[in-house]
Amino acid sequence: MRKAREVASAKAAGVYATAGCLSATLSHAHPKRTSSLPEHIAIVLWLPESPRASADSSIAVRLGSILPAIQRALLSSESAPPAIFVIDCSPLMPSSGSARAIMDKEISDSGADRHLGKQISKPVSRVLDRLCSGYRGSITLFGIQESAPLALCLLEHGAKWGTVTRAALLKPHLSSAAVNALLVKPAQAKVTLDVLYESERDCQRRDGAVRHSYPDGTSHVLDSHVTVGRALHAALLSLGTADLRGTLLEAGGASLQLDPDEIDLSGRAVWWSEWSFELNTRTKQPQTVVSSLNAREVARAVSPPEAAPPQPLAAAAGAAKGVDQQKWVGALVLRGNRCVLARSLDSPRAWLGMRIPRAALRPSESEADAALRAAMDSCDIDESYKDTELERLPAIPPAALHIGETGEASFALIHPLYAARPPPPGALEDADLTDDEDSYDWYTWPRAVHVLRHDAASLAALRTLACGVAAAVGAGAVASKWGGYFGQEWLLARPPPAPAPPPIAADGPSF
């Protein structure tokens, strides 16, 4: 009880520090249960020498440099574990401390008395104990740069929290203290250890000692352009395979991006959660608290939006008076029961995730022409083909997409258009593949609703347009072909409205 009161007092004073824990899970819905974990999980230890953000910032901001790699690995490979946990050790660091110096001292002390250090190693081990309490599956442990010695220390002295079958060290900082304390004799932990060295020099200096203690596994030297995120991505993709080198060769130099709306071929998305381990005030027992994180907020934390360019004085004055300076028009391109959603390929991206194509209305340009231009830009259609690739749908009225902040009157009128050419030969589902390097993808109603699930305004516009499409199909003004019509999965699943009662004849003479 005294310990619990001390912890509560420290939390109230804002001086209580504990390692953070964030999870990424590939699933059709947000995980509801905390008692069961998949048969294989990965645990990533994060202890940067120079933290990306302060300890009081959100955990997504602190881990922003590696979260895109985790999402990409989960969505693009069956070999990656379906749940990845990141243990953020940066809150345990004093404001003026060095992660390398602290770990060197803790490792030296643990080698002497086999006790984990109180500053970092023991608190992290305690979090892992609670996270994996009763877990019987297999664990892959990742140590990145300064956290590599921590991973070795936990394997040797503190891994009572699960069955670690594999480990990987990415760009490890292995000091003389780490080698003398952890790599002078065969390791007690019988795991397969892969090491991705930052340079050939590091490999020549340390790999002999590493393989003396951990003979099973592979060692590789990373190319100079491969970032930590790319290295983690390659290591996650190669789990359960022997082609780590091939995966590394495919790792490009460009940074990975986190897309909050992306799903895999099975319709699964990556769900983010923050885990904490607290004392239940009623039972006085530790309890696990899992807080869901909004995918769009995670994406914004990873890639903060660029500052808006300064406005001309006249425009700024107009905005201050509430005058709408820009009118927007959009297009919903249809083909059978599918529609087009667009992504930004700019760097930095003009928007996150997928959206309904739209563009600013130019002077002297009609709304119909602006909608056609927005569709052509999003679908990469050349100006010379605008009359042969897209057809206007005058029988369906446009719908308003409200794009301003709360209380603002900014909106875009979304005009429906129809693809003039049929889908490519083969199953219609073949067109549903996601291509991150293309500016658009085709979406059925369920997939569109899922990918826009955090965009209430776009969903409202889609519902309005779907009702208009269904009415036009019912009247024979628009054909139902190439899989049907957009929105049918939603509208046909709803019960038909009750028939209207017959009109009641008015009393009195009829004329």
Side-chain angles (χ1 to χ4, degrees), residues 188-501:
Q188 294 184 4
K190 304 303 180 183
V191 302
T192 300
L193 179 66
D194 296 324
V195 187
L196 279 60
Y197 292 100
E198 187 169 15
S199 66
E200 185 67 39
R201 180 174 179 271
D202 289 345
C203 181
Q204 292 175 354
R205 292 176 63 236
R206 298 303 185 206
D207 200 53
V210 169
R211 291 305 158 206
H212 173 67
S213 295
Y214 296 90
D216 296 332
T218 58
S219 299
H220 303 276
V221 177
L222 295 170
D223 292 336
S224 58
H225 67 269
V226 178
T227 63
V228 166
R230 281 285 183 180
L232 177 59
H233 178 247
L236 287 167
L237 289 182
S238 65
L239 291 181
T241 73
D243 193 26
L244 177 57
R245 181 60 183 169
T247 307
L248 287 171
L249 290 174
E250 295 175 1
S255 61
L256 297 165
Q257 302 291 331
L258 193 152
D259 187 342
D261 299 321
E262 187 168 356
I263 57 178
D264 68 1
L265 296 179
S266 300
R268 298 176 298 179
V270 175
W271 302 85
W272 306 92
S273 303
E274 183 173 4
W275 296 54
S276 60
F277 307 94
E278 304 173 359
L279 190 69
N280 189 300
T281 56
R282 183 174 59 85
T283 64
K284 309 303 180 186
Q285 297 296 318
Q287 67 176 4
T288 303
V289 179
V290 183
S291 304
S292 303
L293 301 180
N294 184 288
R296 288 191 175 273
E297 294 178 359
V298 173
R300 282 193 291 268
V302 171
S303 303
E306 296 290 318
Q311 290 180 303
L313 292 179
K321 295 178 182 179
V323 179
D324 187 8
Q325 298 294 321
Q326 186 66 68
K327 191 170 184 179
W328 293 84
V329 179
L332 188 69
V333 180
L334 305 173
R335 188 176 69 189
N337 66 330
R338 286 161 172 79
C339 76
V340 162
L341 296 180
R343 65 169 57 84
S344 172
L345 299 180
D346 298 333
S347 182
R349 288 177 292 176
W351 66 87
L352 296 174
M354 309 300 292
R355 76 175 191 182
I356 299 173
R358 59 178 183 261
L361 185 66
R362 294 172 177 172
S364 303
E365 183 181 36
S366 69
E367 291 186 357
D369 288 342
L372 187 62
R373 176 170 55 85
M376 291 168 55
D377 290 345
S378 297
C379 299
D380 197 21
I381 299 175
D382 189 81
E383 176 73 19
S384 58
Y385 293 101
K386 68 177 183 178
D387 295 327
T388 59
E389 295 291 334
L390 296 171
E391 299 175 351
R392 305 176 192 267
L393 296 175
I396 305 174
L401 167 60
H402 295 273
I403 57 178
E405 299 293 333
T406 303
E408 295 182 1
S410 180
F411 63 91
L413 280 180
I414 308 300
H415 293 249
L417 300 172
Y418 212 90
R421 299 181 184 274
L428 294 175
E429 292 75 16
D430 293 345
D432 297 340
L433 298 177
T434 299
D435 186 355
D436 292 336
E437 298 181 356
D438 203 348
S439 59
Y440 72 98
D441 283 321
W442 290 98
Y443 286 85
T444 60
W445 175 267
R447 294 181 70 240
V449 169
H450 178 83
V451 82
L452 297 175
R453 62 191 181 278
H454 302 299
D455 188 348
S458 293
L459 289 177
L462 280 188
R463 293 188 185 99
T464 302
L465 288 165
C467 291
V469 170
V473 169
V478 173
S480 177
K481 58 182 180 179
W482 301 335
Y485 60 90
F486 183 68
Q488 63 186 10
E489 298 90 342
W490 170 54
L491 292 167
L492 296 180
R494 300 167 64 89

Side-chain angles (χ1 to χ4, degrees), residues 46-224:
W46 183 246
L47 179 61
E49 178 72 10
S50 301
R52 183 176 187 260
S54 61
D56 57 355
S57 57
S58 71
I59 190 170
V61 171
R62 300 197 303 267
L63 302 176
S65 60
I66 60 173
L67 297 187
I70 291 174
Q71 187 203 36
R72 301 252 48 87
L74 287 172
L75 287 170
S76 58
S77 175
E78 290 295 332
S79 61
I84 300 174
F85 292 83
V86 184
I87 307 301
D88 179 21
C89 310
S90 57
L92 302 173
M93 290 293 302
S95 57
S96 59
S98 165
R100 296 180 180 180
I102 293 175
M103 282 309 307
D104 284 349
K105 183 179 186 306
E106 292 196 356
I107 288 170
S108 299
D109 294 343
S110 69
D113 58 15
R114 301 189 63 80
H115 286 92
L116 295 175
K118 294 183 179 180
Q119 182 76 44
I120 296 176
S121 305
K122 191 171 183 178
V124 171
S125 180
R126 188 179 297 117
V127 168
L128 294 174
D129 283 340
R130 293 176 178 175
L131 174 66
C132 303
S133 177
Y135 183 60
R136 296 293 181 267
S138 63
I139 297 173
T140 299
L141 182 66
F142 290 86
I144 301 176
Q145 295 177 322
E146 283 74 20
S147 69
L150 174 61
L152 294 176
C153 187
L154 292 173
L155 285 175
E156 192 67 9
H157 302 306
K160 300 181 176 63
W161 28 267
T163 304
V164 180
T165 58
R166 196 179 188 94
L169 306 182
L170 313 181
K171 296 190 174 186
H173 172 74
L174 298 176
S175 65
S176 299
V179 172
N180 294 332
L182 300 170
L183 300 175
V184 295
K185 58 183 180 180
Q188 294 184 4
K190 304 303 180 183
V191 302
T192 300
L193 179 66
D194 296 324
V195 187
L196 279 60
Y197 292 100
E198 187 169 15
S199 66
E200 185 67 39
R201 180 174 179 271
D202 289 345
C203 181
Q204 292 175 354
R205 292 176 63 236
R206 298 303 185 206
D207 200 53
V210 169
R211 291 305 158 206
H212 173 67
S213 295
Y214 296 90
D216 296 332
T218 58
S219 299
H220 303 276
V221 177
L222 295 170
D223 292 336
S224 58

